[in-house]
Amino acid sequence: MAEVPAAERQLVLRNVVGEGPGVHREDLLREAARFFGWARLGADIRDALTGDIDALISSGDLIESDGGLMPAEGA
């Protein structure tokens, strides 16, 4: 996990959401982990990716609603 920079993880998260708008957080975590070849979603991986998702929401790159995560307009 430590060998993958946050910027790279966030790029993958944005791309997954862009390809499947409305993806729910848990599915996004699994897809991102699978992309990096992580066989399981351990606490350290889950925490890092959750922090990345929260950062993307805070920065306005992603929007989260009851319908799941969506790319922000123009992001």
Coordinates of all heavy atoms in Angstrom, one line a residue:
M1 N 0.8 -1.2 0.0 CA 0.0 0.0 0.0 C 0.9 1.3 0.0 O 0.6 2.2 -0.7 CB -0.9 0.0 1.2 CG -1.6 1.3 1.5 SD -2.5 2.0 0.1 CE -3.9 1.0 0.1
A2 N 1.9 1.3 0.8 CA 2.7 2.5 1.0 C 3.4 2.8 -0.3 O 3.8 4.0 -0.6 CB 3.7 2.3 2.1
E3 N 3.6 1.8 -1.2 CA 4.4 2.1 -2.4 C 3.5 2.7 -3.5 O 4.0 3.2 -4.5 CB 5.0 0.8 -3.0 CG 4.0 -0.3 -3.5 CD 3.4 -1.1 -2.4 OE1 3.7 -1.0 -1.2 OE2 2.6 -2.0 -2.8
V4 N 2.2 2.9 -3.3 CA 1.3 3.5 -4.2 C 1.0 4.9 -3.7 O 0.3 5.0 -2.7 CB 0.1 2.7 -4.5 CG1 -0.8 3.4 -5.5 CG2 0.4 1.3 -5.0
P5 N 1.4 6.0 -4.4 CA 1.1 7.3 -3.9 C -0.4 7.6 -3.9 O -1.1 7.1 -4.8 CB 1.9 8.2 -4.9 CG 2.7 7.3 -5.7 CD 2.2 5.9 -5.6
A6 N -0.8 8.5 -3.0 CA -2.2 8.9 -2.9 C -2.7 9.4 -4.3 O -3.8 9.1 -4.7 CB -2.4 9.9 -1.8
A7 N -1.9 10.2 -5.0 CA -2.3 10.8 -6.2 C -2.6 9.7 -7.3 O -3.6 9.8 -8.0 CB -1.2 11.7 -6.8
E8 N -1.9 8.6 -7.3 CA -2.1 7.5 -8.2 C -3.4 6.8 -7.8 O -4.2 6.4 -8.6 CB -1.0 6.6 -8.2 CG -1.1 5.5 -9.3 CD 0.2 4.6 -9.4 OE1 1.3 5.1 -9.0 OE2 0.0 3.5 -9.9
R9 N -3.6 6.5 -6.5 CA -4.8 5.9 -6.0 C -6.0 6.7 -6.4 O -7.1 6.2 -6.8 CB -4.8 5.6 -4.5 CG -3.7 4.7 -4.1 CD -3.8 4.3 -2.6 NE -4.0 5.4 -1.7 CZ -3.0 5.9 -0.9 NH1 -1.8 5.4 -1.0 NH2 -3.3 6.9 -0.1
Q10 N -5.9 8.0 -6.2 CA -7.1 8.9 -6.5 C -7.4 9.0 -8.0 O -8.5 9.0 -8.4 CB -6.8 10.3 -5.9 CG -6.8 10.3 -4.4 CD -6.5 11.7 -3.8 OE1 -6.4 12.7 -4.5 NE2 -6.3 11.7 -2.5
L11 N -6.4 8.9 -8.8 CA -6.6 8.9 -10.2 C -7.4 7.6 -10.6 O -8.4 7.7 -11.4 CB -5.2 8.9 -11.0 CG -5.3 8.7 -12.5 CD1 -6.1 9.9 -13.1 CD2 -3.9 8.6 -13.1
V12 N -7.0 6.5 -10.0 CA -7.8 5.2 -10.3 C -9.2 5.4 -9.8 O -10.2 5.0 -10.5 CB -7.0 4.0 -9.7 CG1 -7.9 2.8 -9.7 CG2 -5.7 3.8 -10.4
L13 N -9.4 5.9 -8.6 CA -10.7 6.1 -8.1 C -11.6 7.0 -9.0 O -12.7 6.6 -9.3 CB -10.7 6.7 -6.7 CG -10.1 5.7 -5.6 CD1 -9.7 6.5 -4.3 CD2 -11.0 4.6 -5.3
R14 N -11.0 8.1 -9.4 CA -11.8 9.0 -10.3 C -12.1 8.3 -11.6 O -13.2 8.4 -12.1 CB -10.9 10.2 -10.6 CG -11.0 11.3 -9.5 CD -10.5 12.6 -10.0 NE -9.1 12.6 -10.6 CZ -8.0 12.7 -9.9 NH1 -8.1 13.0 -8.6 NH2 -6.9 12.7 -10.4
N15 N -11.2 7.5 -12.2 CA -11.5 6.8 -13.4 C -12.6 5.7 -13.3 O -13.4 5.6 -14.1 CB -10.2 6.1 -13.9 CG -9.2 7.1 -14.5 OD1 -9.6 8.2 -14.9 ND2 -8.0 6.7 -14.6
V16 N -12.5 5.0 -12.1 CA -13.6 4.0 -11.9 C -15.0 4.6 -11.8 O -15.9 4.2 -12.4 CB -13.3 3.1 -10.7 CG1 -14.5 2.2 -10.3 CG2 -12.0 2.3 -10.9
V17 N -15.0 5.7 -11.1 CA -16.3 6.5 -11.0 C -16.7 7.0 -12.3 O -17.9 7.0 -12.7 CB -16.2 7.6 -9.9 CG1 -17.4 8.5 -9.9 CG2 -16.0 7.0 -8.5
G18 N -15.8 7.5 -13.1 CA -16.1 8.0 -14.4 C -16.6 7.0 -15.3 O -17.5 7.3 -16.2
E19 N -16.1 5.8 -15.2 CA -16.6 4.7 -16.1 C -17.9 4.1 -15.6 O -18.7 3.5 -16.4 CB -15.5 3.5 -16.1 CG -14.3 3.9 -16.8 CD -13.2 2.9 -16.7 OE1 -13.4 1.8 -16.1 OE2 -12.1 3.2 -17.2
G20 N -18.2 4.2 -14.3 CA -19.5 3.7 -13.8 C -20.1 4.6 -12.8 O -20.1 4.3 -11.6
P21 N -20.6 5.8 -13.2 CA -21.2 6.7 -12.3 C -22.3 6.1 -11.5 O -23.0 5.2 -12.0 CB -21.8 7.8 -13.2 CG -21.0 7.7 -14.5 CD -20.7 6.2 -14.6
G22 N -22.4 6.4 -10.2 CA -23.4 5.8 -9.4 C -22.8 4.7 -8.6 O -23.5 4.0 -7.9
V23 N -21.5 4.4 -8.7 CA -20.9 3.3 -8.0 C -20.9 3.6 -6.5 O -20.8 4.7 -6.1 CB -19.4 3.0 -8.5 CG1 -18.5 4.2 -8.2 CG2 -18.9 1.8 -7.9
H24 N -21.2 2.6 -5.7 CA -21.3 2.7 -4.3 C -19.9 2.6 -3.7 O -19.0 1.9 -4.3 CB -22.3 1.8 -3.7 CG -23.7 2.2 -4.0 ND1 -24.3 3.2 -3.3 CD2 -24.5 1.8 -5.0 CE1 -25.5 3.3 -3.8 NE2 -25.7 2.5 -4.8
R25 N -19.7 3.2 -2.6 CA -18.3 3.2 -2.0 C -17.7 1.8 -1.8 O -16.5 1.7 -2.2 CB -18.5 3.9 -0.6 CG -17.3 4.6 -0.1 CD -17.6 5.2 1.2 NE -17.8 6.6 1.1 CZ -16.9 7.6 1.5 NH1 -15.8 7.2 2.0 NH2 -17.2 8.8 1.3
E26 N -18.4 0.9 -1.3 CA -17.9 -0.5 -1.1 C -17.4 -1.1 -2.5 O -16.4 -1.7 -2.5 CB -18.9 -1.4 -0.4 CG -18.3 -2.7 0.1 CD -17.2 -2.5 1.1 OE1 -17.3 -1.5 1.9 OE2 -16.3 -3.4 1.2
D27 N -18.2 -0.9 -3.5 CA -17.9 -1.5 -4.8 C -16.6 -0.7 -5.4 O -15.8 -1.3 -6.0 CB -19.0 -1.3 -5.8 CG -20.2 -2.2 -5.4 OD1 -20.0 -3.3 -4.8 OD2 -21.4 -1.8 -5.7
L28 N -16.6 0.6 -5.1 CA -15.4 1.4 -5.6 C -14.1 0.9 -4.9 O -13.1 0.7 -5.5 CB -15.7 2.8 -5.3 CG -14.5 3.8 -5.7 CD1 -14.1 3.6 -7.2 CD2 -14.9 5.2 -5.4
L29 N -14.2 0.6 -3.6 CA -13.1 0.1 -2.8 C -12.6 -1.2 -3.4 O -11.4 -1.4 -3.6 CB -13.4 -0.1 -1.3 CG -13.7 1.2 -0.5 CD1 -14.3 0.8 0.8 CD2 -12.5 2.0 -0.4
R30 N -13.5 -2.1 -3.7 CA -13.2 -3.4 -4.3 C -12.5 -3.3 -5.6 O -11.5 -3.9 -6.0 CB -14.4 -4.3 -4.3 CG -14.7 -5.0 -3.0 CD -15.6 -6.2 -3.1 NE -16.9 -5.8 -3.7 CZ -18.0 -5.4 -2.9 NH1 -17.8 -5.3 -1.6 NH2 -19.1 -5.0 -3.5
E31 N -13.1 -2.4 -6.5 CA -12.6 -2.2 -7.9 C -11.2 -1.6 -7.8 O -10.3 -2.1 -8.6 CB -13.5 -1.3 -8.7 CG -14.8 -2.0 -9.1 CD -14.5 -3.2 -10.0 OE1 -13.6 -3.1 -11.0 OE2 -15.1 -4.2 -9.8
A32 N -11.0 -0.7 -7.0 CA -9.6 0.0 -6.9 C -8.6 -1.1 -6.4 O -7.5 -1.1 -6.9 CB -9.7 1.2 -6.0
A33 N -9.0 -1.8 -5.3 CA -8.1 -2.8 -4.8 C -7.7 -3.9 -5.9 O -6.6 -4.2 -6.1 CB -8.7 -3.5 -3.6
R34 N -8.7 -4.3 -6.7 CA -8.5 -5.2 -7.7 C -7.6 -4.7 -8.8 O -6.7 -5.3 -9.3 CB -9.9 -5.6 -8.4 CG -9.8 -6.7 -9.4 CD -11.1 -7.2 -9.8 NE -12.0 -7.6 -8.7 CZ -13.3 -7.1 -8.6 NH1 -13.8 -6.3 -9.5 NH2 -14.0 -7.5 -7.5
F35 N -7.7 -3.4 -9.1 CA -6.9 -2.7 -10.1 C -5.4 -2.8 -9.7 O -4.6 -3.1 -10.5 CB -7.3 -1.2 -10.3 CG -6.4 -0.5 -11.2 CD1 -6.6 -0.5 -12.5 CD2 -5.3 0.2 -10.7 CE1 -5.7 0.2 -13.4 CE2 -4.4 0.9 -11.5 CZ -4.6 0.9 -12.9
F36 N -5.2 -2.6 -8.4 CA -3.8 -2.6 -7.9 C -3.3 -4.0 -7.6 O -2.1 -4.2 -7.3 CB -3.6 -1.7 -6.7 CG -3.7 -0.3 -7.0 CD1 -4.7 0.5 -6.6 CD2 -2.7 0.3 -7.8 CE1 -4.8 1.9 -6.9 CE2 -2.7 1.7 -8.1 CZ -3.8 2.4 -7.7
G37 N -4.1 -5.0 -7.8 CA -3.7 -6.4 -7.6 C -3.7 -6.8 -6.1 O -3.1 -7.8 -5.8
W38 N -4.5 -6.1 -5.3 CA -4.6 -6.5 -3.9 C -5.7 -7.5 -3.8 O -6.8 -7.2 -4.0 CB -4.8 -5.2 -3.0 CG -3.7 -4.2 -3.1 CD1 -2.3 -4.5 -3.2 CD2 -3.8 -2.8 -3.2 NE1 -1.6 -3.3 -3.3 CE2 -2.5 -2.3 -3.3 CE3 -4.9 -1.9 -3.1 CZ2 -2.2 -0.9 -3.3 CZ3 -4.6 -0.6 -3.2 CH2 -3.3 -0.1 -3.3
A39 N -5.4 -8.7 -3.3 CA -6.3 -9.7 -3.3 C -7.4 -9.5 -2.2 O -8.5 -10.0 -2.4 CB -5.6 -11.1 -3.0
R40 N -7.1 -8.8 -1.2 CA -8.1 -8.6 -0.1 C -8.0 -7.1 0.3 O -7.0 -6.5 0.1 CB -7.9 -9.5 1.1 CG -6.6 -9.4 1.8 CD -6.4 -10.4 2.9 NE -5.4 -9.9 3.9 CZ -5.7 -9.0 4.8 NH1 -6.8 -8.5 5.0 NH2 -4.7 -8.6 5.6
L41 N -9.1 -6.7 0.9 CA -9.3 -5.3 1.3 C -9.0 -5.3 2.8 O -10.0 -5.2 3.6 CB -10.7 -4.9 1.0 CG -11.0 -3.4 0.8 CD1 -10.0 -2.8 -0.2 CD2 -12.4 -3.2 0.3
G42 N -7.8 -5.3 3.2 CA -7.4 -5.2 4.6 C -7.6 -3.8 5.2 O -7.9 -2.9 4.4
A43 N -7.5 -3.7 6.5 CA -7.8 -2.4 7.1 C -7.0 -1.3 6.6 O -7.5 -0.2 6.4 CB -7.7 -2.6 8.6
D44 N -5.7 -1.6 6.4 CA -4.8 -0.5 5.9 C -5.2 0.0 4.5 O -5.2 1.2 4.2 CB -3.3 -0.9 6.0 CG -3.0 -2.1 5.1 OD1 -4.0 -2.9 4.9 OD2 -1.9 -2.3 4.8
I45 N -5.5 -0.9 3.6 CA -5.9 -0.6 2.3 C -7.3 0.1 2.3 O -7.5 1.2 1.7 CB -6.0 -1.8 1.4 CG1 -4.6 -2.4 1.2 CG2 -6.7 -1.5 0.0 CD1 -4.5 -3.7 0.5
R46 N -8.2 -0.4 3.1 CA -9.5 0.2 3.2 C -9.4 1.6 3.8 O -10.1 2.6 3.2 CB -10.4 -0.6 4.1 CG -11.8 -0.1 4.4 CD -12.7 -0.9 5.2 NE -12.9 -2.2 4.6 CZ -13.9 -2.4 3.7 NH1 -14.7 -1.4 3.4 NH2 -14.1 -3.6 3.2
D47 N -8.6 1.8 4.8 CA -8.5 3.1 5.4 C -7.9 4.1 4.4 O -8.3 5.3 4.3 CB -7.6 3.1 6.6 CG -8.3 2.4 7.8 OD1 -9.5 2.1 7.7 OD2 -7.6 2.1 8.8
A48 N -6.8 3.7 3.7 CA -6.2 4.6 2.7 C -7.1 5.0 1.6 O -7.3 6.2 1.2 CB -4.9 4.0 2.2
L49 N -7.8 4.0 1.0 CA -8.7 4.3 -0.1 C -9.9 5.1 0.4 O -10.4 6.0 -0.3 CB -9.2 3.0 -0.7 CG -8.1 2.2 -1.5 CD1 -8.7 0.9 -2.0 CD2 -7.6 3.0 -2.7
T50 N -10.4 4.8 1.6 CA -11.5 5.6 2.1 C -11.1 7.1 2.3 O -11.8 8.0 2.0 CB -12.0 5.0 3.4 OG1 -12.6 3.7 3.2 CG2 -13.1 5.9 4.1
G51 N -9.9 7.3 2.8 CA -9.3 8.6 2.9 C -9.2 9.3 1.6 O -9.5 10.5 1.4
D52 N -8.8 8.5 0.6 CA -8.7 9.1 -0.8 C -10.1 9.5 -1.3 O -10.2 10.6 -1.9 CB -8.1 8.1 -1.7 CG -6.6 7.8 -1.4 OD1 -5.9 8.7 -0.9 OD2 -6.1 6.7 -1.8
I53 N -11.1 8.7 -1.1 CA -12.4 9.0 -1.6 C -12.9 10.3 -0.9 O -13.4 11.2 -1.5 CB -13.4 7.8 -1.3 CG1 -13.0 6.6 -2.2 CG2 -14.9 8.3 -1.6 CD1 -13.8 5.4 -1.8
D54 N -12.7 10.3 0.5 CA -13.1 11.5 1.2 C -12.4 12.8 0.7 O -13.0 13.8 0.6 CB -12.8 11.3 2.7 CG -13.7 10.3 3.3 OD1 -14.8 9.9 2.8 OD2 -13.4 9.7 4.4
A55 N -11.1 12.6 0.4 CA -10.4 13.8 -0.1 C -10.9 14.2 -1.5 O -11.0 15.4 -1.7 CB -8.9 13.4 -0.2
L56 N -11.3 13.3 -2.3 CA -11.8 13.6 -3.6 C -13.2 14.3 -3.5 O -13.5 15.2 -4.3 CB -11.9 12.4 -4.5 CG -10.6 11.8 -5.0 CD1 -10.8 10.4 -5.6 CD2 -10.0 12.7 -6.0
I57 N -14.0 13.9 -2.5 CA -15.2 14.6 -2.3 C -15.0 16.0 -1.7 O -15.6 16.9 -2.2 CB -16.1 13.7 -1.3 CG1 -16.5 12.4 -2.0 CG2 -17.3 14.5 -0.8 CD1 -17.1 11.4 -1.0
S58 N -14.1 16.1 -0.8 CA -13.8 17.4 -0.2 C -13.2 18.4 -1.2 O -13.5 19.6 -1.2 CB -12.7 17.2 0.9 OG -13.3 16.5 2.0
S59 N -12.4 17.9 -2.2 CA -11.9 18.8 -3.2 C -12.8 19.1 -4.3 O -12.5 19.9 -5.2 CB -10.6 18.1 -3.7 OG -10.9 17.0 -4.5
G60 N -14.0 18.4 -4.3 CA -15.0 18.7 -5.3 C -14.8 17.9 -6.6 O -15.5 18.1 -7.6
D61 N -13.9 16.9 -6.6 CA -13.8 16.0 -7.7 C -14.9 15.0 -7.9 O -15.2 14.6 -9.0 CB -12.4 15.3 -7.7 CG -11.3 16.2 -7.9 OD1 -11.3 17.0 -8.9 OD2 -10.3 16.2 -7.1
L62 N -15.4 14.5 -6.7 CA -16.5 13.5 -6.7 C -17.6 14.1 -5.9 O -17.4 14.9 -4.9 CB -16.0 12.2 -6.1 CG -14.9 11.4 -6.8 CD1 -14.6 10.1 -6.0 CD2 -15.3 11.1 -8.2
I63 N -18.8 13.6 -6.2 CA -20.0 13.9 -5.4 C -20.6 12.6 -4.9 O -20.7 11.7 -5.7 CB -21.1 14.7 -6.3 CG1 -20.5 16.0 -6.8 CG2 -22.4 14.9 -5.5 CD1 -21.3 16.6 -7.9
E64 N -21.0 12.6 -3.6 CA -21.6 11.4 -3.1 C -23.1 11.7 -2.7 O -23.4 12.7 -2.1 CB -20.9 10.9 -1.9 CG -21.3 9.6 -1.3 CD -20.4 9.0 -0.3 OE1 -19.8 9.7 0.5 OE2 -20.4 7.7 -0.2
S65 N -24.0 10.8 -3.2 CA -25.4 10.9 -2.9 C -25.9 9.5 -2.6 O -25.2 8.5 -2.6 CB -26.1 11.5 -4.0 OG -26.1 10.6 -5.1
D66 N -27.2 9.4 -2.3 CA -27.8 8.1 -2.1 C -27.7 7.2 -3.3 O -27.7 6.0 -3.2 CB -29.3 8.3 -1.8 CG -29.5 8.9 -0.4 OD1 -28.6 8.9 0.4 OD2 -30.6 9.4 -0.2
G67 N -27.5 7.8 -4.5 CA -27.3 7.1 -5.7 C -25.9 6.6 -5.9 O -25.6 6.0 -7.0
G68 N -25.0 6.9 -5.0 CA -23.6 6.5 -5.2 C -22.7 7.7 -5.5 O -23.1 8.8 -5.3
L69 N -21.5 7.4 -5.9 CA -20.5 8.4 -6.3 C -20.6 8.8 -7.7 O -20.7 7.9 -8.6 CB -19.1 7.9 -5.9 CG -18.9 7.7 -4.4 CD1 -17.8 6.7 -4.1 CD2 -18.5 9.1 -3.8
M70 N -20.5 10.1 -8.0 CA -20.5 10.6 -9.3 C -19.4 11.5 -9.5 O -18.9 12.2 -8.6 CB -21.8 11.4 -9.5 CG -23.1 10.6 -9.2 SD -23.5 9.4 -10.4 CE -24.1 10.4 -11.7
P71 N -18.9 11.7 -10.8 CA -17.9 12.7 -11.1 C -18.6 14.1 -10.9 O -19.7 14.2 -11.3 CB -17.5 12.5 -12.5 CG -18.2 11.2 -13.0 CD -19.2 10.9 -12.0
A72 N -17.8 15.0 -10.4 CA -18.4 16.4 -10.3 C -18.4 17.0 -11.7 O -17.6 16.6 -12.6 CB -17.5 17.2 -9.4
E73 N -19.3 17.8 -12.0 CA -19.4 18.5 -13.3 C -18.1 19.2 -13.6 O -17.6 19.9 -12.8 CB -20.6 19.5 -13.3 CG -22.0 18.9 -13.2 CD -22.3 17.9 -14.4 OE1 -21.9 18.3 -15.5 OE2 -22.8 16.9 -14.2
G74 N -17.6 18.9 -14.8 CA -16.4 19.5 -15.2 C -15.1 19.0 -14.6 O -14.0 19.5 -14.9
A75 N -15.2 18.0 -13.7 CA -14.0 17.4 -13.1 C -13.3 16.4 -14.0 O -13.9 15.9 -14.9 CB -14.4 16.7 -11.8

